[in-house]
Structure formats: structure tokens, C-alpha cells
Amino acid sequence: MSTTEPVAPFDAWRRFLWFAWAAFWLLMLMVSVQDNYVNGDEPLWRPLLWEGSSLLVATVLIAIQFHWLPTLRPLLQQPRRWFGVQLVWLPVVVVGFVITAYGIRHGVYALLGDTYQHEPWLQVLLYEATKLTIFFGLWTAAQFGIESFIALWQEQQKNFAIQQALAEARRALLQTKIQPHFLFNALNTISAVMHEDVEKAEQLISELSMLLREGLNLDKKSLVPLHQEWQFLQAYSHLMLARFAPRVTMQWQLSDEVREVAVPPLCLQPLLENMFQHGAEKIPGPFHIELFAKADGKDLLMGLTGSKGQITEPVIEREGMAQVRGRLQLCFDDSASLIMRNRQQGGVEVLLRIRDALER
């Protein structure tokens, strides 16, 4: 299981904000130049200097705020405190802006042998404070919305990763519970045949080796095509039939339309194993097993029947049904169902349904 560290869309949002910031100030510069061209007679460099100095200082202040904002994320759940902290810095922003921007303008004017004329300092401070308060309020409100979205997105990604990790851990745990049962019974089958037919035992060992190899590959996948699961079941049944033949017979029906439907690996093997272990092995006389998989509307319906025997409810949950049901739940949530019941004509049947499986 590999977990992916949540990655917030900081870069995309920051690129968007900086683009909006650049577009806003480009518009301000164009309006200032146009206004001077229509209504004023100042040299072009003066309106460019006025807006350019505001652009430079405001950009530095915004960059500092960007760097500082992540430290306020713990306060996003308390908007009043979040905005309160921002409000505390507003006087610093206003005074810093006035001193720096107007200092630049005075400096440039002095370098060019001119004098920068403006309103008295108190009037300038009030004018800039009003303008910056409006601007700062709108900008901060937008940032609060963006920061809240990013925090929510991070929390969702974190929860999703946790759910994935839990699901994968549970799936792996369930598979480790299933595989030892299969290996134990297969070795018992080979052991039973070995003393009667060595050549047949060698063949069964070869088939067991193939099954284990395929089992290891299946372990790496959450879902496999049904025909692959079907091949695995048939190989497993060869091992079991070698032990019970000719008393036990089997019949297989796999519809072509469901061959490629994705199912959890080893989802039927524990059920077939139970059929051999608690049906064929314990009930004397001929025993017939049928497996089928077909489409039922948009659903995949798989069935496993045994010609004899009877089940009780406690046995259902004790014999691997819970493990299979758990894996179906992890893969399909509530879209899959698994039931075992007695048949009216005798024997038992297991029905596994995956809703809308043919449309997945």
C-alpha cells in the first residue's frame, strides 16, 4: 500500500492571485496614464511613478502577508480571531505604505531636480488609510475564503488517504486469513493421493505450484477479470476432485457477457472450499457442485450450489462468509451482497450479487 501525501492546490491558487494582482495594477497604470493624457498636463513619468511606487510597496506588503498567512490556519475555524489578527496589522500596513511609497516619490523627484508636491501629511495619511482599509478588507476577505477552501481540501484528502490505508490494510488482512485455508486443504489433498499414485501426486504438486504463483499475483490486485478468477477456481477444483473423484462431480457455467467483469481475487475460492470441506467431505455418497456466473440485468450474479447438506445461520458466519463479505464491502460498499441458504430441492446454495457490475 502506498499512501500519497495530500498536496494542496497552493501553487495554482497563488498563480491565479498573482495573475489577478498583475492585471489589477496594469489596469491602474493604464487608467492613470489615460487620465493624465485627457485631463492633465504632467509628464508621463510622473503618473507612472505614482502608480509604480504604490505597486512596488503594495506588492512587497502582500508578499509578506502571503508568507505569514499559513501560520494563521489554526485560526480559520475562528473567523473573528483570524480577521482580528489581520486588523491589528492594518495600521502598520498603512503607515509603512505611506512612508515607503511617498519616500520613493520624493527621492525620484529629488534625483530629477524636482519637488514632489502633495497634500499635508495628516491629510495624506487619512486619504491613504481610507483607501488601504477598503482595499485591504476586500483582499483579506478573498484570502480568508481561499485559505478556508485549501484547509477543507487538505482535510478531505487526508481523510481519503486514511480511508484508503484502512481499506487496504483490511483487504490484506482478510486475504492472509483466506490463503492459509486454501494451502492447508490443498496439501492435505496431495498427501492423500501420494500413497496411491505418485505420478498423480507430482501432477497435483505442479498444479499447486501454479496456483500459489497465481495467488501471489492476485494478491497484488484489488480486482481481476472474472475469467481469471474462474481459471483459478478450476485449477483449485482439480486438486480437490483428485481427492474426491469419482464421488464428487462439478458443472461450470460462465456466460460470455460477464467474463471481463471485475471481481475481487479469491472471492469465490473460500466458498468453493467450504463446499468441499463441509459438503463433499462430510456427506457420504455422490455429491454434485455447480458454479455459474451470469448477467442479471446490469448485475453480476454468481452462484455456487451443493446437491446435499443443510446449513444453519451460525455456520454461515463461521466458515469464511464474513471474510468474503468484508472484501466485497471494501471493493463495492453496499453494492454487493452475499447470501447462503438451503435449497427447497435439497442441498445449499451461495449467491453473490454485484449490482450494476456490467456498467462499471
Side-chain angles (χ1 to χ4, degrees):
M1 170 62 187
S2 62
T3 57
T4 302
E5 192 71 20
V7 179
F10 294 125
D11 292 342
W13 276 112
R14 289 195 169 189
R15 282 196 296 269
F16 171 77
L17 286 177
W18 282 120
F19 175 81
W21 181 260
F24 169 77
W25 281 106
L26 178 62
L27 179 62
M28 293 293 291
L29 286 170
M30 293 174 62
V31 169
S32 179
V33 171
Q34 180 68 17
D35 182 67
N36 182 71
Y37 177 77
V38 174
N39 302 315
D41 55 356
E42 297 283 349
L44 181 60
W45 65 269
R46 289 185 176 178
L48 290 177
L49 174 63
W50 301 336
E51 295 301 333
S53 58
S54 297
L55 163 63
L56 177 62
V57 177
T59 301
V60 171
L61 292 173
I62 290 299
I64 294 173
Q65 190 192 33
F66 258 127
H67 180 73
W68 172 55
L69 272 179
T71 63
L72 296 182
R73 282 188 188 143
L75 300 180
L76 286 172
Q77 299 297 325
Q78 306 172 59
R80 290 184 179 179
R81 289 189 61 190
W82 192 91
F83 280 104
V85 173
Q86 300 277 3
L87 192 61
V88 168
W89 286 99
L90 180 58
V92 178
V93 171
V94 172
V95 174
F97 176 87
V98 171
I99 293 175
T100 310
Y102 281 72
I104 292 174
R105 296 172 193 175
H106 276 283
V108 173
Y109 270 73
L111 288 174
L112 297 176
D114 201 350
T115 301
Y116 180 43
Q117 302 290 336
H118 56 77
E119 303 296 328
W121 282 109
L122 180 59
Q123 190 171 343
V124 167
L125 190 61
L126 291 174
Y127 169 76
E128 295 293 352
T130 302
K131 189 173 64 174
L132 285 172
T133 298
I134 297 173
F135 176 80
F136 186 82
L138 294 174
W139 181 259
T140 302
Q143 286 182 318
F144 178 79
I146 293 171
E147 287 290 322
S148 298
F149 169 77
I150 291 175
L152 177 62
W153 187 90
Q154 281 184 316
E155 188 65 23
Q156 289 176 337
Q157 292 299 307
K158 182 180 178 181
N159 290 336
F160 179 72
I162 291 173
Q163 291 300 321
Q164 275 193 318
L166 290 174
E168 187 65 19
R170 292 177 60 192
R171 187 187 70 81
L173 177 62
L174 291 171
Q175 283 199 343
T176 58
K177 288 181 178 177
I178 290 172
Q179 288 179 340
H181 285 288
F182 161 66
L183 181 60
F184 178 76
N185 286 331
L187 290 175
N188 274 346
T189 301
I190 295 173
S191 176
V193 174
M194 185 174 296
H195 297 289
E196 301 173 358
D197 189 339
V198 174
E199 185 175 345
K200 182 66 174 178
E202 289 179 349
Q203 178 188 345
L204 294 177
I205 290 174
S206 176
E207 287 191 291
L208 176 60
S209 175
M210 183 274 290
L211 285 173
L212 292 176
R213 184 173 60 253
E214 292 298 322
L216 289 175
N217 291 332
L218 290 174
D219 235 6
K220 302 174 183 177
K221 305 173 183 177
S222 297
L223 297 171
V224 296
L226 179 56
H227 67 83
Q228 189 173 335
E229 173 72 359
W230 211 253
Q231 290 173 352
F232 189 89
L233 286 173
Q234 289 180 324
Y236 170 78
S237 68
H238 290 162
L239 284 166
M240 302 306 290
L241 289 175
R243 180 178 177 182
F244 293 103
R247 188 171 62 85
V248 177
T249 56
M250 293 191 67
Q251 183 177 354
W252 303 76
Q253 295 180 2
L254 175 62
S255 300
D256 290 340
E257 57 190 333
V258 298
R259 288 178 59 85
E260 298 299 329
V261 173
V263 298
L266 303 179
C267 65
L268 293 177
Q269 185 274 333
L271 307 178
L272 180 58
E273 179 182 336
N274 282 345
M275 197 63 73
F276 275 103
Q277 185 177 3
H278 299 285
E281 185 173 352
K282 295 183 177 179
I283 300 175
F287 193 88
H288 184 67
I289 300 173
E290 292 184 12
L291 281 94
F292 72 86
K294 63 181 182 180
D296 185 12
K298 301 176 183 178
D299 299 350
L300 169 64
L301 181 61
M302 295 185 285
L304 175 65
T305 65
S307 60
K308 296 180 181 177
Q310 190 172 22
I311 59 170
T312 58
E313 192 66 22
V315 173
I316 293 176
E317 295 302 328
R318 192 176 63 240
E319 303 297 342
M321 291 285 290
Q323 286 91 337
V324 175
R325 185 177 289 110
R327 298 179 63 201
L328 293 172
Q329 174 71 27
L330 290 176
C331 294
F332 303 111
D333 296 323
D334 295 328
S335 297
S337 61
L338 177 65
I339 60 171
M340 176 182 283
R341 62 191 180 190
N342 295 314
R343 298 194 305 169
Q344 291 183 350
Q345 62 271 40
V348 298
E349 66 179 359
V350 182
L351 296 177
L352 193 161
R353 179 184 294 274
I354 302 175
R355 291 196 296 274
D356 299 326
L358 274 67
E359 292 189 336
R360 295 178 189 274

